[in-house]
Amino acid sequence: MNISQAARRSGLSAKTIRYYEDIKLIAPAARSDNGYRQYDQAAVKELRFLAHARDVGFDLEESRQLLELSRNPARQSRHARDLVMEKSQKLQERIEQLVAMQKELLAMATRCKGDEGPECAIIENLAAGQESDK
Amino acid sequence: MNISQAARRSGLSAKTIRYYEDIKLIAPAARSDNGYRQYDQAAVKELRFLAHARDVGFDLEESRQLLELSRNPARQSRHARDLVMEKSQKLQERIEQLVAMQKELLAMATRCKGDEGPECAIIENLAAGQESDK
DNA sequence: TGTAAACCTTACAGTAGCTGGAAGGTCAAG
DNA sequence: CTTGACCTTCCAGCTACTGTAAGGTTTACA
């Protein structure tokens, strides 16, 4: 199949698939006589793997590691688990950070009248700085 | 004061301050005879404003808008409030997305033994694709 | 047979928000 | 007079793509 069908089946864009080939995340696709890239079921499966890994938050380097594990029949599931736990930890920290931001945004919004006047707790709050160094 | 002190007092790096000047987020700093940038309290206050706006999740364009509001004595607090509410909404969506990712990561990790063997629910889960198009 | 739409190719530029490094000028202490 | 800590500008690189240009191919249809 051509690249756009592989894209549809994998959930990646054709652009992204070419990009993944460029950066050697996947092996160069076979080519048909006209020079078009050709994908088989196995190739699509790897693309779907990558799409899913990205979806759950792995970056390209981590996705590459996971893909290598999936290709390696002598892998140790411990390695995959380590990657997942580490990502989960980072994600947890990120979530807590966003929740804290969210909390502060709502606190600011609550105290701002949001009318036609210039007085604004949001602006004051952002301007009010924790002075650090003198 | 010189740039590194302004950096310490604002919570931004010197690099970042120069960058903000470059992209005209802030006015070009005054220069002393030797060509060094000079910052006064008002300048530091704007830098702190920006640092804080970034901290709570605003991107540079939004931060620029907020800074303009803070500079404008004829502002309407409604505008600031709108920016905050919109950002809060986006943030909420992002948080829910990350929480869903986190949930899936933990579900995968739970089902993976994480030992020396190759059998791994994580790999299987990532490989198992929701086949979309035939 | 012509042509237009829908594919495909490569190559290069741009995005956000910085950070790092090179190459060099300035300043205060010892 | 040298060392180290500043400062300057400029350019490259980071992530993970996306957009665009300029072209070649294939297919459907009039």
Side-chain angles (χ1 to χ4, degrees):
Chain A
M1 80 191 77
N2 287 345
I3 198 169
S4 65
Q5 198 177 358
R8 276 190 296 273
R9 290 199 197 177
S10 65
L12 298 170
S13 73
K15 274 280 196 198
T16 297
I17 295 175
R18 288 193 202 99
Y19 173 66
Y20 285 178
E21 184 179 315
D22 253 27
I23 63 172
K24 297 172 204 311
L25 189 56
I26 51 175
R31 301 291 182 126
S32 59
D33 290 351
N34 55 18
Y36 289 11
R37 285 177 183 80
Q38 291 301 311
Y39 297 88
D40 58 15
Q41 284 308 319
V44 169
K45 207 169 167 190
E46 293 215 332
L47 293 173
R48 250 188 290 116
F49 185 101
L50 289 170
H52 199 170
R54 299 286 296 115
D55 277 351
V56 294
F58 291 103
D59 63 27
L60 286 186
E61 174 54 25
E62 293 158 341
S63 299
R64 191 185 56 71
Q65 289 177 41
L66 286 165
L67 185 57
E68 277 168 15
L69 285 177
S70 94
R71 284 174 180 151
N72 177 7
R75 67 176 165 262
Q76 302 185 347
S77 70
R78 181 168 53 81
H79 294 144
R81 207 184 136 97
D82 288 353
L83 283 167
V84 168
M85 293 312 287
E86 194 185 334
K87 178 55 57 177
S88 174
Q89 180 59 38
K90 294 269 194 228
L91 207 47
Q92 190 55 44
E93 286 162 20
R94 182 67 179 149
I95 288 169
E96 278 158 22
Q97 198 183 7
L98 295 191
V99 166
M101 284 159 47
Q102 170 76 312
K103 206 176 140 193
E104 187 166 357
L105 285 177
L106 290 177
M108 287 195 288
T110 307
R111 295 190 294 111
C112 172
K113 280 191 293 196
D115 59 13
E116 319 298 307
E119 193 214 330
C120 177
I122 292 163
I123 303 287
E124 284 160 30
N125 195 288
L126 292 174
Q130 31 285 9
E131 189 84 29
S132 49
D133 181 30
K134 246 291 145 117
Chain B
M1 80 192 75
N2 287 346
I3 198 168
S4 64
Q5 197 176 359
R8 275 190 296 272
R9 289 198 197 178
S10 65
L12 298 171
S13 73
K15 276 278 196 198
T16 298
I17 295 174
R18 288 193 203 99
Y19 173 67
Y20 285 178
E21 185 180 314
D22 251 29
I23 63 172
K24 297 173 204 310
L25 189 56
I26 52 176
R31 300 292 181 125
S32 58
D33 290 351
N34 56 18
Y36 290 10
R37 285 177 183 79
Q38 291 301 309
Y39 298 87
D40 58 16
Q41 284 308 319
V44 168
K45 207 170 168 188
E46 292 215 333
L47 292 173
R48 250 187 292 117
F49 185 101
L50 289 170
H52 200 170
R54 300 285 295 115
D55 277 351
V56 295
F58 291 104
D59 63 29
L60 287 184
E61 174 54 26
E62 292 158 342
S63 299
R64 191 185 57 71
Q65 289 177 42
L66 285 165
L67 185 57
E68 277 168 15
L69 285 176
S70 94
R71 284 173 180 152
N72 179 7
R75 67 175 166 262
Q76 302 186 346
S77 70
R78 180 169 54 79
H79 294 144
R81 208 185 136 96
D82 287 353
L83 282 167
V84 168
M85 293 311 286
E86 196 186 330
K87 177 56 55 180
S88 174
Q89 179 60 38
K90 295 270 194 224
L91 207 47
Q92 190 56 45
E93 287 162 20
R94 182 67 181 148
I95 288 168
E96 278 158 20
Q97 200 183 3
L98 295 190
V99 166
M101 283 159 47
Q102 170 77 312
K103 207 176 137 192
E104 187 165 358
L105 285 176
L106 289 177
M108 287 196 288
T110 307
R111 293 190 295 110
C112 171
K113 279 190 293 194
D115 59 13
E116 319 298 308
E119 192 212 333
C120 177
I122 292 163
I123 303 288
E124 283 159 31
N125 195 288
L126 291 173
Q130 33 284 10
E131 188 85 27
S132 50
D133 180 31
K134 245 288 140 111

mmCIF file of all heavy atoms in Angstrom, chain A residues 88-115:
data_model
loop_
_atom_site.group_PDB
_atom_site.id
_atom_site.type_symbol
_atom_site.label_atom_id
_atom_site.label_comp_id
_atom_site.label_asym_id
_atom_site.label_seq_id
_atom_site.Cartn_x
_atom_site.Cartn_y
_atom_site.Cartn_z
ATOM 1 N N SER A 88 5.488 7.538 33.822
ATOM 2 C CA SER A 88 4.339 7.755 34.680
ATOM 3 C C SER A 88 4.679 8.747 35.791
ATOM 4 O O SER A 88 3.883 9.645 36.122
ATOM 5 C CB SER A 88 3.903 6.419 35.282
ATOM 6 O OG SER A 88 2.875 6.632 36.211
ATOM 7 N N GLN A 89 5.856 8.604 36.331
ATOM 8 C CA GLN A 89 6.326 9.498 37.389
ATOM 9 C C GLN A 89 6.416 10.936 36.872
ATOM 10 O O GLN A 89 5.912 11.883 37.476
ATOM 11 C CB GLN A 89 7.702 9.013 37.871
ATOM 12 C CG GLN A 89 8.313 9.860 38.976
ATOM 13 C CD GLN A 89 7.421 9.901 40.203
ATOM 14 O OE1 GLN A 89 6.793 8.903 40.577
ATOM 15 N NE2 GLN A 89 7.333 11.079 40.843
ATOM 16 N N LYS A 90 7.048 11.091 35.722
ATOM 17 C CA LYS A 90 7.200 12.418 35.112
ATOM 18 C C LYS A 90 5.837 13.036 34.821
ATOM 19 O O LYS A 90 5.606 14.227 35.018
ATOM 20 C CB LYS A 90 7.967 12.315 33.788
ATOM 21 C CG LYS A 90 9.409 11.870 33.928
ATOM 22 C CD LYS A 90 10.351 13.056 34.073
ATOM 23 C CE LYS A 90 11.793 12.624 33.877
ATOM 24 N NZ LYS A 90 12.703 13.110 34.904
ATOM 25 N N LEU A 91 4.955 12.181 34.335
ATOM 26 C CA LEU A 91 3.623 12.639 33.986
ATOM 27 C C LEU A 91 2.893 13.119 35.228
ATOM 28 O O LEU A 91 2.205 14.140 35.212
ATOM 29 C CB LEU A 91 2.869 11.478 33.328
ATOM 30 C CG LEU A 91 1.772 11.799 32.339
ATOM 31 C CD1 LEU A 91 2.222 12.844 31.342
ATOM 32 C CD2 LEU A 91 1.370 10.523 31.601
ATOM 33 N N GLN A 92 3.077 12.372 36.301
ATOM 34 C CA GLN A 92 2.447 12.737 37.554
ATOM 35 C C GLN A 92 2.908 14.126 37.999
ATOM 36 O O GLN A 92 2.101 14.974 38.390
ATOM 37 C CB GLN A 92 2.806 11.691 38.625
ATOM 38 C CG GLN A 92 2.020 11.852 39.893
ATOM 39 C CD GLN A 92 0.522 11.833 39.642
ATOM 40 O OE1 GLN A 92 0.029 11.004 38.879
ATOM 41 N NE2 GLN A 92 -0.217 12.768 40.228
ATOM 42 N N GLU A 93 4.216 14.352 37.883
ATOM 43 C CA GLU A 93 4.767 15.650 38.276
ATOM 44 C C GLU A 93 4.189 16.761 37.402
ATOM 45 O O GLU A 93 3.824 17.824 37.882
ATOM 46 C CB GLU A 93 6.296 15.634 38.142
ATOM 47 C CG GLU A 93 6.977 14.840 39.249
ATOM 48 C CD GLU A 93 8.416 14.467 38.889
ATOM 49 O OE1 GLU A 93 9.001 15.116 37.989
ATOM 50 O OE2 GLU A 93 8.947 13.514 39.512
ATOM 51 N N ARG A 94 4.117 16.474 36.110
ATOM 52 C CA ARG A 94 3.583 17.461 35.179
ATOM 53 C C ARG A 94 2.110 17.781 35.499
ATOM 54 O O ARG A 94 1.691 18.927 35.472
ATOM 55 C CB ARG A 94 3.720 16.927 33.746
ATOM 56 C CG ARG A 94 3.241 17.880 32.682
ATOM 57 C CD ARG A 94 4.113 19.124 32.597
ATOM 58 N NE ARG A 94 3.661 20.033 31.552
ATOM 59 C CZ ARG A 94 3.793 21.356 31.619
ATOM 60 N NH1 ARG A 94 4.359 21.929 32.669
ATOM 61 N NH2 ARG A 94 3.369 22.111 30.638
ATOM 62 N N ILE A 95 1.365 16.750 35.804
ATOM 63 C CA ILE A 95 -0.052 16.941 36.130
ATOM 64 C C ILE A 95 -0.186 17.820 37.368
ATOM 65 O O ILE A 95 -0.979 18.763 37.392
ATOM 66 C CB ILE A 95 -0.751 15.579 36.354
ATOM 67 C CG1 ILE A 95 -0.923 14.855 35.017
ATOM 68 C CG2 ILE A 95 -2.109 15.769 37.034
ATOM 69 C CD1 ILE A 95 -1.344 13.403 35.139
ATOM 70 N N GLU A 96 0.636 17.525 38.371
ATOM 71 C CA GLU A 96 0.556 18.310 39.595
ATOM 72 C C GLU A 96 0.908 19.774 39.337
ATOM 73 O O GLU A 96 0.304 20.690 39.896
ATOM 74 C CB GLU A 96 1.483 17.716 40.670
ATOM 75 C CG GLU A 96 0.815 16.541 41.382
ATOM 76 C CD GLU A 96 1.807 15.591 42.042
ATOM 77 O OE1 GLU A 96 2.949 16.027 42.317
ATOM 78 O OE2 GLU A 96 1.439 14.419 42.270
ATOM 79 N N GLN A 97 1.860 19.951 38.458
ATOM 80 C CA GLN A 97 2.266 21.315 38.085
ATOM 81 C C GLN A 97 1.098 22.044 37.401
ATOM 82 O O GLN A 97 0.781 23.184 37.735
ATOM 83 C CB GLN A 97 3.442 21.183 37.117
ATOM 84 C CG GLN A 97 4.281 22.422 36.939
ATOM 85 C CD GLN A 97 5.381 22.179 35.899
ATOM 86 O OE1 GLN A 97 5.424 21.132 35.243
ATOM 87 N NE2 GLN A 97 6.246 23.168 35.734
ATOM 88 N N LEU A 98 0.460 21.359 36.453
ATOM 89 C CA LEU A 98 -0.657 21.985 35.741
ATOM 90 C C LEU A 98 -1.835 22.253 36.679
ATOM 91 O O LEU A 98 -2.508 23.276 36.567
ATOM 92 C CB LEU A 98 -1.104 21.107 34.568
ATOM 93 C CG LEU A 98 -0.104 20.907 33.431
ATOM 94 C CD1 LEU A 98 -0.775 20.241 32.243
ATOM 95 C CD2 LEU A 98 0.522 22.225 32.993
ATOM 96 N N VAL A 99 -2.072 21.354 37.584
ATOM 97 C CA VAL A 99 -3.169 21.543 38.533
ATOM 98 C C VAL A 99 -2.900 22.776 39.400
ATOM 99 O O VAL A 99 -3.811 23.568 39.670
ATOM 100 C CB VAL A 99 -3.376 20.272 39.394
ATOM 101 C CG1 VAL A 99 -4.252 20.563 40.602
ATOM 102 C CG2 VAL A 99 -3.989 19.162 38.552
ATOM 103 N N ALA A 100 -1.629 22.938 39.797
ATOM 104 C CA ALA A 100 -1.269 24.106 40.611
ATOM 105 C C ALA A 100 -1.482 25.386 39.796
ATOM 106 O O ALA A 100 -1.993 26.390 40.307
ATOM 107 C CB ALA A 100 0.181 23.991 41.061
ATOM 108 N N MET A 101 -1.108 25.346 38.509
ATOM 109 C CA MET A 101 -1.311 26.508 37.643
ATOM 110 C C MET A 101 -2.793 26.815 37.529
ATOM 111 O O MET A 101 -3.222 27.973 37.633
ATOM 112 C CB MET A 101 -0.710 26.225 36.264
ATOM 113 C CG MET A 101 0.808 26.324 36.220
ATOM 114 S SD MET A 101 1.588 25.431 34.817
ATOM 115 C CE MET A 101 0.570 25.966 33.453
ATOM 116 N N GLN A 102 -3.536 25.770 37.303
ATOM 117 C CA GLN A 102 -4.982 25.888 37.165
ATOM 118 C C GLN A 102 -5.602 26.530 38.409
ATOM 119 O O GLN A 102 -6.447 27.421 38.324
ATOM 120 C CB GLN A 102 -5.557 24.483 36.942
ATOM 121 C CG GLN A 102 -7.046 24.370 37.005
ATOM 122 C CD GLN A 102 -7.673 24.899 35.740
ATOM 123 O OE1 GLN A 102 -7.331 25.994 35.266
ATOM 124 N NE2 GLN A 102 -8.584 24.146 35.180
ATOM 125 N N LYS A 103 -5.141 26.069 39.559
ATOM 126 C CA LYS A 103 -5.638 26.586 40.827
ATOM 127 C C LYS A 103 -5.374 28.091 40.926
ATOM 128 O O LYS A 103 -6.247 28.870 41.308
ATOM 129 C CB LYS A 103 -4.925 25.848 41.971
ATOM 130 C CG LYS A 103 -5.714 25.782 43.264
ATOM 131 C CD LYS A 103 -4.966 24.940 44.294
ATOM 132 C CE LYS A 103 -5.065 25.562 45.670
ATOM 133 N NZ LYS A 103 -4.116 24.978 46.629
ATOM 134 N N GLU A 104 -4.168 28.464 40.538
ATOM 135 C CA GLU A 104 -3.824 29.882 40.629
ATOM 136 C C GLU A 104 -4.627 30.715 39.636
ATOM 137 O O GLU A 104 -5.071 31.821 39.957
ATOM 138 C CB GLU A 104 -2.321 30.082 40.410
ATOM 139 C CG GLU A 104 -1.925 31.530 40.682
ATOM 140 C CD GLU A 104 -0.428 31.753 40.826
ATOM 141 O OE1 GLU A 104 0.328 30.761 40.776
ATOM 142 O OE2 GLU A 104 -0.037 32.927 40.983
ATOM 143 N N LEU A 105 -4.832 30.175 38.454
ATOM 144 C CA LEU A 105 -5.641 30.900 37.463
ATOM 145 C C LEU A 105 -7.048 31.136 38.000
ATOM 146 O O LEU A 105 -7.586 32.247 37.904
ATOM 147 C CB LEU A 105 -5.711 30.102 36.154
ATOM 148 C CG LEU A 105 -4.469 30.098 35.270
ATOM 149 C CD1 LEU A 105 -4.687 29.201 34.066
ATOM 150 C CD2 LEU A 105 -4.130 31.520 34.811
ATOM 151 N N LEU A 106 -7.639 30.099 38.546
ATOM 152 C CA LEU A 106 -9.006 30.231 39.048
ATOM 153 C C LEU A 106 -9.067 31.184 40.230
ATOM 154 O O LEU A 106 -10.012 31.959 40.357
ATOM 155 C CB LEU A 106 -9.565 28.851 39.409
ATOM 156 C CG LEU A 106 -9.838 27.970 38.184
ATOM 157 C CD1 LEU A 106 -10.319 26.587 38.600
ATOM 158 C CD2 LEU A 106 -10.859 28.633 37.248
ATOM 159 N N ALA A 107 -8.038 31.136 41.069
ATOM 160 C CA ALA A 107 -8.008 32.057 42.206
ATOM 161 C C ALA A 107 -7.953 33.501 41.710
ATOM 162 O O ALA A 107 -8.647 34.379 42.224
ATOM 163 C CB ALA A 107 -6.797 31.747 43.084
ATOM 164 N N MET A 108 -7.158 33.719 40.680
ATOM 165 C CA MET A 108 -7.057 35.075 40.127
ATOM 166 C C MET A 108 -8.385 35.502 39.511
ATOM 167 O O MET A 108 -8.843 36.623 39.718
ATOM 168 C CB MET A 108 -5.947 35.131 39.070
ATOM 169 C CG MET A 108 -4.546 35.075 39.653
ATOM 170 S SD MET A 108 -3.281 35.577 38.460
ATOM 171 C CE MET A 108 -3.265 34.202 37.348
ATOM 172 N N ALA A 109 -8.973 34.601 38.736
ATOM 173 C CA ALA A 109 -10.214 34.941 38.037
ATOM 174 C C ALA A 109 -11.324 35.277 39.022
ATOM 175 O O ALA A 109 -12.128 36.186 38.800
ATOM 176 C CB ALA A 109 -10.631 33.777 37.136
ATOM 177 N N THR A 110 -11.355 34.532 40.114
ATOM 178 C CA THR A 110 -12.391 34.737 41.116
ATOM 179 C C THR A 110 -12.330 36.142 41.699
ATOM 180 O O THR A 110 -13.348 36.756 41.983
ATOM 181 C CB THR A 110 -12.210 33.718 42.262
ATOM 182 O OG1 THR A 110 -12.158 32.418 41.687
ATOM 183 C CG2 THR A 110 -13.371 33.791 43.239
ATOM 184 N N ARG A 111 -11.105 36.625 41.864
ATOM 185 C CA ARG A 111 -10.960 37.915 42.526
ATOM 186 C C ARG A 111 -11.022 39.097 41.561
ATOM 187 O O ARG A 111 -10.910 40.247 41.953
ATOM 188 C CB ARG A 111 -9.651 37.935 43.320
ATOM 189 C CG ARG A 111 -9.700 36.906 44.472
ATOM 190 C CD ARG A 111 -8.542 37.040 45.426
ATOM 191 N NE ARG A 111 -7.271 36.718 44.787
ATOM 192 C CZ ARG A 111 -6.314 37.598 44.517
ATOM 193 N NH1 ARG A 111 -6.478 38.857 44.840
ATOM 194 N NH2 ARG A 111 -5.202 37.211 43.934
ATOM 195 N N CYS A 112 -11.199 38.803 40.268
ATOM 196 C CA CYS A 112 -11.255 39.882 39.275
ATOM 197 C C CYS A 112 -12.701 40.112 38.870
ATOM 198 O O CYS A 112 -13.408 39.170 38.505
ATOM 199 C CB CYS A 112 -10.433 39.508 38.046
ATOM 200 S SG CYS A 112 -10.633 40.665 36.678
ATOM 201 N N LYS A 113 -13.132 41.343 38.951
ATOM 202 C CA LYS A 113 -14.523 41.636 38.634
ATOM 203 C C LYS A 113 -14.868 41.340 37.176
ATOM 204 O O LYS A 113 -15.961 40.907 36.840
ATOM 205 C CB LYS A 113 -14.828 43.111 38.960
ATOM 206 C CG LYS A 113 -15.084 43.327 40.446
ATOM 207 C CD LYS A 113 -15.645 44.706 40.723
ATOM 208 C CE LYS A 113 -14.598 45.766 40.417
ATOM 209 N NZ LYS A 113 -14.892 47.081 40.994
ATOM 210 N N GLY A 114 -13.894 41.606 36.288
ATOM 211 C CA GLY A 114 -14.144 41.336 34.876
ATOM 212 C C GLY A 114 -15.150 42.284 34.280
ATOM 213 O O GLY A 114 -16.015 41.887 33.490
ATOM 214 N N ASP A 115 -15.032 43.538 34.625
ATOM 215 C CA ASP A 115 -15.968 44.524 34.071
ATOM 216 C C ASP A 115 -15.247 45.504 33.152
ATOM 217 O O ASP A 115 -14.218 45.178 32.588
ATOM 218 C CB ASP A 115 -16.675 45.267 35.221
ATOM 219 C CG ASP A 115 -15.666 45.969 36.133
ATOM 220 O OD1 ASP A 115 -14.487 46.084 35.731
ATOM 221 O OD2 ASP A 115 -16.069 46.398 37.237
#
